[in-house]
Amino acid sequence: MNSLPTNAQQSIPPAPETDVPSTPAHSLAVSRLAEDNPILFQAFEWHTVSTPPQPSATHASQTSHYPRLTRLLPLLSAIGITSLWLPPGCKANNAQGNGYDCYDLWDLGEFDQKWTRSVKWGSREELSDLKREAKRLGVSVIWDAVLNHKTAGDATEECWAVEVDKEDRRIELGDPRPIEAYLRFDFPGRKEAGMPYSDLIWHAEHFNGTDWDAKARQNKMFKLIDDPSNLPESYAEQVRLWKSTRSTILAKNHSASPAEEACEQPPPPPRRPGRGWANDVDDMHGNADYLMFSNIDYTHPAVRQDTLKWGEWMVDINGVDGFRLDAVQHFSYNFTREWIARVQAASQRKRSEPAFIVGEIWTGEVDRIVKWLDVVGGGAFAYDSPLLYNFSRISEDVRTNSKNSDLRTILRDSLLEHRPHAAVTLVTNHDTQPGQTSFTPMLPELKALWYAFILLRSEGYPCVFWGDLYGMKGHKAEAPACLVSDGKGGKRSLLPDLMLARRLFAFGEQKDHLDSMTCVAWTREGHSAKPGSGCVVLLSIDPWPLTEREQRKGWFARTRSGNPKTVTKKIPFGKPGEVYIDLLANAEDRIGVIIDSTGAGTFGCKAGTHAVAVFVRSGAVGVDQFPVPFVADAYKA
């Protein structure tokens, strides 16, 4: 009997290439999707435990996260992981900073600064060990790049600033005044080593926003500006006119009755000449340039060149295969386009293939994501946050027993619907997990359905979350997702099964059967280079009776031949006489579905809020690997 590898020398053979249609705007992106049914793995959650080496050491055995990932990687690769999204590995503002509080891009855990040599995740040497193992296994390393801001400067500098409205960052509150902010970055650890990699010392002139005035000890949102005494008189007149017009409109809106037409919107304030927010960012909050900490100004030539050089250095010297770009709607789109072009050129020189680039924009408005993709180009991907919000919306409808629960709306206004070849799909991540400010509610029972949707369909580049595969820690800890009975009195997760099913069976033409509110299905016809591939997938959220229309169409029928109920669907698939089994069922519970003389089978899954089934040919290569033997305790030595 075949089994999954238990050591680094064994691996499941790679799956064949699958046919993926292309579009001119995303030819580089599509080439990535044409590979081995890729899966991106987010290799951390917000509360991941990691104890890095002491400043005097280079390795910490199994206590830091990089060695942990090195140990786990062979099995992750075997069940289908092709890319590893590492946490931000640049020096943070303290030893346990997750890296989104970025201090020094050029310190990957090499220099003793901010009270530590290593970063939270480990030392640069441990990172090198991990990258070496990833390369041996053919797993790409994706770096989480935080390019929007820096934090924890080494000294204060005085600069002119004006407080802005947090709801509309274009509106200035009060008069400009000098503030003292921690905007000098000396990088003493690197300086002691002779300032390797980059000699740029950062000053106030390299930023255009901050959140702390050390002189007044105030935490506010400040826009950094030029000395206001140098402003032209015409600007002051523009501001006076704007304030007068705005006051008039607001007063009129305030006195309007509810029956009157929609209120008139006041005009945006005039733009202050000189230093200020970037123009080429998203228009959330009027201007989305500022997010947090000390906001980097990409109009400064030295800043641009240093960050461009860093991207090339990460590819050329550190050997990363791509980047996840944090908070891309908050910094210059035009600079991002230039940065991606430089990174892609470096990747072509280094590896003769494009780098994988994915941008993060949390929004339910897909047009904002498409705009970013169109501007930056370079074969970039983006996370499909609207799809994730659709998962959450349906989940909440199920939780509240709403009759609006409708699986047919999964794709509505998602990136998969509008730009499928640029969509990185996900169910949860470190921003949306419980306890985070961007927490997005989702029934644990439904996660198996959502993962089946992103892993077993032809469109999209799926991302699996550490917290769903291994569980989440912290004050709102959760067990691994997609748990079902193992038939032996315990629990097992369906997520490793769905991942391996993608690698082995989810190939070929896709035919959708998405016409029911409560149960949907699709088929994958298989690939000629992969004998036995192909699958039938069913998802169900509803134990309620069929609607009259559904009964007339004959699409789904529910039977009470046992407990619980079964949702069934007669689907054209396969050849007469072939037998199909549900990979997700425990081996002893599998019931064969025989394809009838018309070339159709009656496929079914248990009704309820966690009903998902994946049918494959009973004799297909790899069926005996299911259920996947998977140890979900990542912290076990």
Side-chain angles (χ1 to χ4, degrees):
M1 178 177 178
N2 295 329
S3 61
L4 286 171
T6 56
N7 60 62
Q9 301 304 314
Q10 297 173 290
S11 64
I12 293 174
E17 293 185 354
T18 183
D19 297 327
V20 180
S22 181
T23 62
H26 291 281
S27 58
L28 290 175
V30 172
S31 69
R32 174 69 66 169
L33 287 179
E35 295 179 0
D36 178 23
N37 267 0
I39 300 176
L40 175 64
F41 179 56
Q42 182 178 355
F44 63 102
E45 53 103 5
W46 192 255
H47 303 287
T48 301
V49 176
S50 180
T51 305
Q54 294 297 314
S56 59
T58 59
H59 291 77
S61 185
Q62 298 296 322
T63 64
S64 56
H65 196 52
Y66 288 152
R68 181 182 299 130
L69 289 175
T70 304
R71 171 175 55 84
L72 296 173
L73 199 52
L75 180 56
L76 291 172
S77 173
I79 62 175
I81 295 301
T82 58
S83 296
L84 202 64
W85 163 11
L86 296 182
C90 300
K91 186 63 58 69
N93 71 2
N94 65 76
Q96 281 296 304
N98 278 345
Y100 296 103
D101 48 345
C102 182
Y103 166 72
D104 186 1
L105 283 176
W106 298 92
D107 184 356
L108 308 185
E110 181 179 1
F111 304 101
D112 192 354
Q113 47 189 8
K114 293 301 173 186
W115 307 281
T116 177
R117 178 182 184 272
S118 299
V119 299
K120 171 183 175 177
W121 313 109
S123 66
R124 183 167 184 180
E125 291 80 3
E126 290 174 324
L127 173 62
S128 296
D129 295 341
L130 172 58
K131 289 186 295 182
R132 190 177 304 112
E133 176 69 351
K135 184 176 182 180
R136 188 186 70 80
L137 294 168
V139 175
S140 300
V141 173
I142 309 304
W143 192 263
D144 200 327
V146 181
L147 305 183
N148 177 72
H149 53 264
K150 301 178 84 69
T151 187
D154 300 301
T156 62
E157 292 191 342
E158 187 174 85
C159 53
W160 279 97
V162 60
E163 182 186 352
V164 298
D165 189 331
K166 292 181 180 180
E167 297 306 314
D168 189 338
R169 283 86 185 266
R170 299 169 302 177
I171 298 177
E172 299 179 357
L173 305 176
D175 296 325
R177 60 183 172 87
I179 68 169
E180 288 185 4
Y182 282 91
L183 299 176
R184 182 181 174 91
F185 289 75
D186 294 311
F187 310 120
R190 258 196 312 122
K191 181 180 286 187
E192 186 175 342
M195 289 299 284
Y197 314 132
S198 168
D199 60 2
L200 179 64
I201 300 296
W202 290 61
H203 298 278
E205 67 189 82
H206 299 128
F207 301 91
N208 62 7
T210 192
D211 61 357
W212 178 250
D213 177 6
K215 179 189 294 185
R217 301 193 62 78
Q218 289 181 330
N219 177 211
K220 295 183 177 181
M221 190 177 293
F222 295 104
K223 178 173 64 176
L224 306 185
I225 59 175
D226 293 333
D227 186 338
S229 65
N230 297 324
L231 283 175
E233 291 185 9
S234 58
Y235 173 71
E237 180 59 31
Q238 291 172 9
V239 171
R240 284 193 293 270
L241 178 60
W242 170 76
K243 287 182 177 179
S244 175
T245 304
R246 184 171 185 268
S247 297
T248 300
I249 292 174
L250 292 178
K252 180 181 176 182
N253 291 343
H254 180 72
S255 61
S257 68
E260 293 186 83
E261 294 185 2
C263 297
E264 181 182 355
Q265 293 298 315
R271 179 175 174 81
R272 177 184 288 273
R275 187 180 182 188
W277 303 139
N279 286 323
D280 55 338
V281 293
D282 195 274
D283 62 0
M284 295 178 185
H285 300 292
N287 182 296
D289 190 19
Y290 187 83
L291 176 64
M292 62 176 66
F293 302 131
S294 298
N295 199 69
I296 296 173
D297 182 1
Y298 282 110
T299 66
H300 196 289
V303 169
R304 295 177 72 91
Q305 290 307 312
D306 194 68
T307 311
L308 291 169
K309 178 183 172 184
W310 177 82
E312 293 176 312
W313 176 74
M314 289 297 294
V315 172
D316 287 336
I317 305 302
N318 293 290
V320 302
D321 304 295
F323 296 88
R324 179 259 186 192
L325 299 181
D326 183 61
V328 293
Q329 76 270 42
H330 296 290
F331 60 95
S332 169
Y333 288 15
N334 290 311
F335 171 74
T336 306
R337 180 176 63 229
E338 183 181 1
W339 188 88
I340 290 175
R342 291 279 283 269
V343 164
Q344 293 293 18
S347 182
Q348 290 290 351
R349 292 194 304 269
K350 179 79 174 181
R351 305 181 302 136
S352 300
E353 62 179 281
F356 173 75
I357 309 286
V358 57
E360 176 215 35
I361 301 179
W362 285 114
T363 177
E365 302 174 59
V366 69
D367 289 347
R368 296 182 185 273
I369 303 175
V370 169
K371 179 180 179 180
W372 182 81
L373 287 168
D374 286 344
V375 172
V376 303
F381 289 74
Y383 291 106
D384 196 346
S385 52
L387 180 69
L388 183 149
Y389 294 145
N390 285 347
F391 292 155
S392 177
R393 169 179 50 78
I394 297 172
S395 177
E396 285 297 281
D397 284 342
V398 170
R399 184 183 65 81
T400 58
N401 294 318
S402 169
K403 292 184 179 181
N404 293 323
S405 306
D406 192 345
L407 287 175
R408 298 172 303 177
T409 66
I410 289 180
L411 287 170
R412 181 180 294 169
D413 292 326
S414 66
L415 195 58
L416 274 185
E417 183 178 64
H418 291 264
R419 198 65 66 83
H421 307 306
V424 171
T425 53
L426 69 168
V427 176
T428 319
N429 85 340
H430 65 286
D431 287 315
T432 68
Q433 71 181 82
Q436 294 295 86
T437 55
S438 297
F439 166 63
T440 305
M442 201 168 293
L443 281 174
E445 298 92 338
L446 285 177
K447 283 191 174 182
L449 280 71
W450 310 145
Y451 270 112
F453 193 84
I454 70 172
L455 287 166
L456 302 179
R457 293 179 62 80
S458 60
E459 66 271 26
Y461 195 137
C463 178
V464 172
F465 177 47
W466 172 282
D468 286 335
L469 190 62
Y470 290 113
M472 292 171 256
K473 295 189 176 294
H475 64 289
K476 294 197 174 182
E478 286 194 0
C482 312
L483 294 178
V484 296
S485 169
D486 64 0
K488 303 173 184 178
K491 296 284 187 181
R492 67 181 180 89
S493 173
L494 296 179
L495 186 49
D497 292 353
L498 291 168
M499 294 162 66
L500 186 57
R502 172 176 173 82
R503 177 162 192 169
L504 298 179
F505 302 109
F507 294 95
E509 182 184 356
Q510 178 173 290
K511 295 181 180 178
D512 286 338
H513 305 274
L514 309 178
D515 289 344
S516 170
M517 292 177 66
T518 57
C519 191
V520 297
W522 65 89
T523 62
R524 302 292 301 276
E525 293 295 324
H527 196 290
S528 60
K530 183 72 173 180
S533 64
C535 57
V536 179
V537 185
L538 281 79
L539 311 181
S540 174
I541 60 171
D542 184 19
W544 301 335
L546 288 171
T547 66
E548 190 174 315
R549 179 174 178 272
E550 288 170 336
Q551 290 174 349
R552 286 198 308 269
K553 292 186 66 173
W555 276 78
F556 289 92
R558 287 165 171 72
T559 66
R560 290 185 177 274
S561 57
N563 187 27
K565 294 184 297 181
T566 300
V567 180
T568 61
K569 169 70 176 79
K570 192 168 185 178
I571 301 175
F573 193 76
K575 299 178 181 178
E578 286 184 329
V579 179
Y580 285 77
I581 60 170
D582 180 8
L583 280 180
L584 303 186
N586 292 321
E588 61 274 14
D589 297 330
R590 291 173 182 165
I591 300 175
V593 173
I594 302 175
I595 304 302
D596 65 22
S597 60
T598 67
T602 302
F603 299 91
C605 62
K606 294 178 180 179
T609 58
H610 59 276
V612 56
V614 180
F615 288 89
V616 301
R617 293 172 179 84
S618 60
V621 175
V623 166
D624 54 359
Q625 308 284 2
F626 296 81
V628 173
F630 188 82
V631 177
D633 184 1
Y635 296 95
K636 187 176 181 179

